[in-house]
Amino acid sequence: MNASSDPLSRIFLLSHMRAFTSLAGHILGSHPQINGYYEMHISYEDASALDKQLDVFLEGDVFKENSRYLFDKLLHNDYLLKPGQLGLANMKILISLLEPEHTIKSIVHLFAQKEIEDLYASPVEAANYYIARVQALADFSRTANQPYYYFDAELFQRAPEKLLPRLSDWLELDSPLSERYQILSQTGQARKGDSSKRMHSGVIDRTPVDYSHIAIPEDVLHTAREVYRECRRQIIGNAADSVSLD
């Protein structure tokens, strides 16, 4: 199979690290119409990327019978999505943001656990990543030639009963998304998403995580909050539809 004969539509989730995207991928990827659930680290700048996506998926998985979609998520500015260059008649694009304080602390907590010192173990560098990523998503929202849908990432943990029906509608699924999900072959693996034990529960865990031991410089946090507010406003304003905590 190649892109020219590929019968599958695509779902792309554009977001950032530590925004419940592993949970999102597992909930989506557990649906019988959706293949894929992890980050493939592909830049979608022309149709050849769709062939690469198929190859990456088929290295470890097979397509579900009568499935409709192939999913990927893009969390870094190194990986671009140019919908107009892909030659796809139909795709679904989702954009999601999580508020900055929790996100930045979660990034720091994750990378501080690595054996080798990592750049993102620094609150300042984690914030720089977050700010640049949120700004890039706002840029995409202004220039995209394809409709997209926005949701606040917090909804996955705080109000999935509000979010999942909307996602099911946007994706035109023939059955609703569930708060329960499958433990899949690459669940928890490095570079494939969240490696915490929470991902192995098979159900949305609504227990908050305490990152109060991590401090972010006040000026850095203030800048991140301002960028988040303005970029979120733009992204929602340009979206075909949205659902938020508000």
Side-chain angles (χ1 to χ4, degrees), residues 225-243:
R225 284 173 170 159
E226 289 296 309
V227 169
Y228 165 75
R229 279 194 287 266
E230 176 56 24
C231 290
R232 178 177 176 271
R233 183 190 66 79
Q234 293 179 26
I235 293 169
I236 290 175
N238 293 323
D241 197 5
S242 64
V243 58

Side-chain angles (χ1 to χ4, degrees), residues 56-68:
V56 170
F57 177 80
L58 292 171
E59 285 175 4
D61 294 280
V62 296
F63 293 120
K64 300 170 187 174
E65 187 177 359
N66 299 319
S67 57
R68 178 178 178 185

